[in-house]
Amino acid sequence: MLEGINAPEDLKNLSIKELYVMSNDVSELIKKTVKEHGGHYSSPLGVVDLTVALHYVYNSPEDKLIWDVGHQAYAHKILTGRRDTFKTIRKKNGLSGFLKRDESPHDIIGAGHATTSISSGLGLAHARDYNKNNFNVISIIGDGAMTGGLAYEGMNNLGFHRTQQTIILNDNSKSISQSVGALSGYLNKIITNPTYNKIRNDIWDITGKIPVISKVVRKFLKKSEEGIKGFLTPGILFEELGIRYIGPLDGHNLEEMIRVFNSIKNFKTPVLLHVFTRKGKKSSKAELDSTKYYSLPGKDSIASKGTSYSKILGHSLIKLTSGSKKFKCITAAMDIGTGISEFCRNYPDRYIDVGIAESHAVSYASGLATEGIVPIIAIYSTFMQRAYDQIMHDILLQDLPAVFCMDRAGLVGPDGPTHHGIFDISMLNSLPRIIITAPKDGNELFDLIYTGINSNKPFSIRYPKENCHRYNHNLEPLLIDIGKWEYLSKGENIALLAVGSMVKTCMDIKDDIEDFINEEITIINARFIKPIDENILNEISNNHKTIFTFEEGSEIGGFGSSILNYYSRKETAPQIYIKGIEDSFIQHGTREELLEITGLDRNSIFNFIINKIKR
Ligand SMILES: Cc1ncc(C[n+]2csc(CCOP(=O)(O)OP(=O)(O)O)c2C)c(N)n1
């Protein structure tokens, strides 16, 4: 059946029975494609029925469907003209794994970071009202994303301004792992509330048992779902905010969803529709363990050797902090991704999952720090962007210690521009007091964590989405002098200052460069991005004519620009060439492809150096 669906209009003439077949077909296509090519798995499967019902009732793109995060919107892609290209998802030049405005007119607002859909939706709704248009705005947000503060800012505004916006709360009681927090408990209570559900079902049954009035009453019930919920409503939290609550609805019952969507379509006021779905639906394994099947690597993915930096963080925290009560680890819904699950399991009183709430995580950390607890925040570089002001205002300005372990720093690969961690250096570089570091390998990550947690300072460590080449988990930790770089080789004339992942790349091409220019070169592991090692900079400026800097991060405001800035204050300085990521958003592809595109792979760096020297 899927063959005949090239746009959402093609769904409109199908019967309910056919819609179920359609939904199955879409799920099968997702399963087959993701198993083969990799991608998100349990989240997209959980919302196939919901997506079919939405596209059946609403008229996208005139009606605006806004998906939060977008990792679950695979069915939306398939039903909006991207069925045949779906197999290219997350591949270089292929479909994005998230929504993207330039990919389809049905992708109203792209996303990748959670919890934006209510605010963007309200902006859209207000623009509609201002322009005197008449479409529906529907924001679809998961219970995980609802743990983020932005959702409440959006609802607070929406409830006050009271315009048409429908929020569909896709509640599967899971974030990537279990959803956390009071709201999660509240939603769960609603779904499992036997009294409410019994009354609801009883009313429905009773109407069916009184044939004379059943048709009229049921018609009334269908039409006034709103009214019924008015006196039965369990969603009082939303109601009190001025948002009509309807639910909970079975997100796999197409008839029920279609009926309710049709009945609320003409509401002119805000509505929250609470839909419960099963993550991983249509795959028994994924339904049973949606966290394990959150994403699949794809058939062609080759497991690389070595230990991931994330795992090393987990090992290090256990090894370095388990004997002391003064450390507390904070995650914002990313315990698995950041490698700290084992720590969380073993030391439940010394870890907290705050939900998808990065800004809260950092302000929370500041509170801990005032009482002598050293907060260790395990977070992805890209999501740290959410907490920029909290770092500046609540940690640095207060002069409090905190350790930021920033995973996925640099190019992340198939998740693309929303997820690349390429702005953290520039973001933090301009802030006073913070120490910014990047290890050259796994052993150094261990030492930097040790140094950070004992520094009593705000200390950040960035490391890439990679398995590292050198890690010996039996080593004893070493304290590294803050601000001290490391000479890896000493030459004259030419020096390469490399940060983090770039150290190995520079070491890999060292011999080739030396053969080419017939002299030895200096390579420095610039493990402190801030403070920079002024002693070494002064030293090399005496006998080196040319300095190259390499970093897997934005060039503007990055490490290289700190070096330029330093030498610009001197009377004489070597010639400096900086290489990082130029001022643009980098699309998706494998990490290797993207390093090549950005000129940060071995070949490109070799050529970059040689071309400049030849000049
Ligand atoms: C700001 C931010 N922090 C963390 C993440 C990582 N992340 C991606 S999806 C997800 C869970 C989302 O849960 P939910 O909204 O319930 O959607 P589901 O996957 O259950 O459908 C998380 C934590 C993110 N995308 N954005």
Side-chain angles (χ1 to χ4, degrees):
M1 284 192 76
L2 204 46
E3 288 296 304
I5 307 294
N6 296 311
E9 298 87 82
D10 299 329
L11 285 176
K12 311 272 181 202
N13 296 325
L14 300 184
S15 66
I16 294 282
K17 211 169 147 196
E18 287 168 325
L19 288 177
Y20 274 110
V21 176
M22 170 66 50
S23 195
N24 259 332
D25 283 4
V26 172
S27 304
E28 286 308 314
L29 179 60
I30 293 174
K31 278 159 64 178
K32 181 170 165 273
T33 310
V34 177
K35 276 182 192 165
E36 185 151 344
H37 301 288
H40 290 97
Y41 196 65
S42 53
S43 306
L45 286 175
V47 295
V48 175
D49 294 328
L50 172 61
T51 312
V52 168
L54 281 169
H55 277 298
Y56 180 78
V57 173
Y58 292 100
N59 296 316
S60 173
E62 287 75 37
D63 288 328
K64 314 295 178 196
L65 298 178
I66 303 172
W67 294 88
D68 208 272
V69 190
H71 67 307
Q72 76 289 55
Y74 289 9
H76 167 83
K77 288 190 185 238
I78 292 169
L79 296 175
T80 52
R82 286 167 277 182
R83 177 197 60 230
D84 293 339
T85 46
F86 187 60
K87 57 180 173 296
T88 68
I89 193 157
R90 292 163 60 88
K91 291 187 186 308
K92 185 179 156 195
N93 301 325
L95 293 186
S96 160
F98 298 87
L99 297 187
K100 223 169 154 220
R101 280 172 59 74
D102 57 10
E103 196 177 285
S104 163
H106 296 273
D107 293 2
I108 306 302
I109 295 191
H113 289 196
T115 323
T116 59
S117 63
I118 298 177
S119 303
S120 315
L122 180 57
L124 228 155
H126 276 172
R128 170 202 60 206
D129 300 346
Y130 186 75
N131 293 331
K132 302 206 170 15
N133 286 325
N134 194 27
F135 50 76
N136 278 286
V137 176
I138 306 105
S139 302
I140 306 122
I141 181 166
D143 56 296
M146 268 284 192
T147 58
L150 195 55
Y152 300 88
E153 295 173 30
M155 285 195 291
N156 183 40
N157 227 205
L158 171 64
F160 178 73
H161 288 292
R162 301 192 57 74
T163 185
Q164 187 287 323
Q165 183 181 0
T166 299
I167 299 170
I168 301 212
L169 171 55
N170 163 32
D171 182 5
N172 50 32
S173 74
K174 290 269 186 172
S175 191
I176 290 179
S177 28
Q178 197 60 38
S179 230
V180 295
L183 185 83
S184 168
Y186 175 67
L187 295 175
N188 196 35
K189 237 190 257 166
I190 296 177
I191 286 181
T192 52
N193 179 338
T195 319
Y196 165 69
N197 285 315
K198 187 163 179 323
I199 295 172
R200 186 170 182 271
N201 293 337
D202 284 355
I203 290 179
W204 194 252
D205 288 350
I206 290 165
T207 61
K209 281 177 194 148
I210 315 169
V212 192
I213 58 161
S214 96
K215 224 172 144 190
V216 184
V217 174
R218 281 197 160 184
K219 201 168 160 198
F220 166 76
L221 288 179
K222 274 184 194 173
K223 269 197 168 168
S224 59
E225 185 84 10
E226 179 200 19
I228 303 162
K229 300 298 169 350
F231 73 90
L232 287 179
T233 189
I236 199 74
L237 169 72
F238 304 105
E239 295 273 341
E240 292 292 317
L241 281 175
I243 301 171
R244 204 89 186 86
Y245 171 92
I246 296 181
L249 289 185
D250 178 354
H252 303 293
N253 182 333
L254 289 175
E255 283 132 303
E256 188 175 38
M257 281 190 289
I258 289 169
R259 180 170 62 79
V260 176
F261 291 163
N262 273 322
S263 77
I264 62 165
K265 212 170 138 184
N266 299 320
F267 284 12
K268 294 292 171 215
T269 47
V271 184
L272 182 139
L273 206 63
H274 183 184
V275 177
F276 61 94
T277 56
R278 290 200 295 284
K279 217 165 166 169
K281 180 94 192 333
K282 311 258 171 72
S283 155
S284 48
K285 284 185 185 162
E287 218 180 309
L288 214 61
D289 190 347
S290 64
T291 304
K292 181 171 170 196
Y293 290 89
Y294 178 71
S295 61
L296 302 182
K299 263 194 199 150
D300 301 335
S301 88
I302 308 156
S304 57
K305 285 193 200 131
T307 313
S308 72
Y309 281 100
S310 321
K311 254 197 184 145
I312 296 172
L313 173 71
H315 291 173
S316 307
L317 290 184
I318 291 175
K319 197 161 166 179
L320 298 173
T321 70
S322 56
S324 164
K325 285 214 173 295
K326 79 169 192 183
F327 301 105
K328 186 148 178 166
C329 195
I330 304 170
T331 173
M334 298 299 286
D335 60 311
I336 299 175
T338 54
I340 60 164
S341 303
E342 196 185 335
F343 180 92
C344 303
R345 265 196 312 278
N346 292 351
Y347 306 100
D349 61 331
R350 278 194 285 125
Y351 119 90
I352 182 170
D353 180 350
V354 295
I356 308 180
E358 291 80 5
S359 340
H360 164 59
V362 175
S363 298
Y364 172 86
S366 72
L368 291 180
T370 59
E371 287 297 304
I373 297 172
V374 177
I376 303 168
I377 302 146
I379 200 160
Y380 285 9
S381 157
T382 186
F383 301 139
M384 189 57 115
Q385 289 165 203
R386 281 279 167 96
Y388 186 59
D389 185 56
Q390 286 71 23
I391 297 174
M392 176 265 158
H393 181 271
D394 301 339
I395 299 285
L396 302 176
L397 188 57
Q398 314 307 320
D399 210 359
L400 289 168
V403 181
F404 300 98
C405 300
M406 291 190 295
D407 202 325
R408 306 313 198 255
L411 297 159
V412 294
D415 278 338
T418 52
H419 282 59
H420 295 315
I422 56 183
F423 305 114
D424 58 280
I425 301 180
S426 343
M427 202 175 82
L428 298 177
N429 224 353
S430 62
L431 298 177
R433 291 195 175 132
I434 190 148
I435 296 164
I436 313 173
T437 71
K440 67 175 183 300
D441 59 26
N443 292 337
E444 198 164 65
L445 173 59
F446 181 56
D447 292 339
L448 283 173
I449 295 168
Y450 183 61
T451 307
I453 63 178
N454 288 297
S455 68
N456 206 27
K457 289 187 160 51
F459 196 100
S460 74
I461 313 169
R462 75 182 309 258
Y463 41 91
K465 184 188 183 189
E466 223 174 44
N467 282 1
C468 59
H469 54 288
R470 230 161 51 106
Y471 177 58
N472 176 354
H473 66 273
N474 294 318
L475 289 181
E476 286 306 309
L478 291 175
L479 274 183
I480 303 178
D481 286 346
I482 289 178
K484 201 161 176 14
W485 292 347
E486 180 189 31
Y487 276 105
L488 299 176
S489 71
K490 277 193 174 174
E492 287 181 354
N493 280 329
I494 291 163
L496 315 186
L497 311 188
V499 171
S501 60
M502 292 292 109
V503 175
K504 181 172 186 309
T505 312
C506 288
M507 288 304 283
D508 287 347
I509 55 173
K510 174 177 173 291
D511 289 349
D512 292 342
I513 296 171
E514 289 179 342
D515 287 351
F516 197 91
I517 61 176
N518 209 15
E519 66 173 73
E520 290 184 4
I521 59 172
T522 299
I523 298 188
I524 288 163
N525 167 22
R527 55 197 172 190
F528 288 89
I529 298 164
K530 190 176 180 185
I532 47 180
D533 190 333
E534 296 186 1
N535 290 333
I536 288 193
L537 287 177
N538 292 341
E539 213 167 87
I540 57 173
S541 67
N542 290 334
N543 58 353
H544 288 73
K545 282 199 209 114
T546 314
I547 292 179
F548 291 89
T549 70
F550 296 102
E551 65 200 294
E552 201 180 324
S554 172
E555 268 176 17
I556 297 180
F559 169 72
S561 63
S562 296
I563 304 304
L564 276 173
N565 184 37
Y566 178 76
Y567 282 128
S568 72
R569 286 187 248 122
K570 305 278 168 197
E571 294 299 313
T572 57
Q575 170 74 51
I576 299 157
Y577 294 107
I578 69 176
K579 178 78 197 108
I581 293 169
E582 284 167 28
D583 188 20
S584 63
F585 287 113
I586 310 299
Q587 298 308 315
H588 60 280
T590 63
R591 189 166 143 72
E592 293 68 33
E593 285 166 341
L594 300 182
L595 284 168
E596 207 177 309
I597 288 171
T598 51
L600 291 173
D601 64 315
R602 280 180 219 174
N603 274 346
S604 311
I605 288 187
F606 175 82
N607 290 330
F608 180 81
I609 294 170
I610 297 304
N611 286 336
K612 299 291 185 213
I613 294 171
K614 272 197 211 153
R615 273 200 211 164

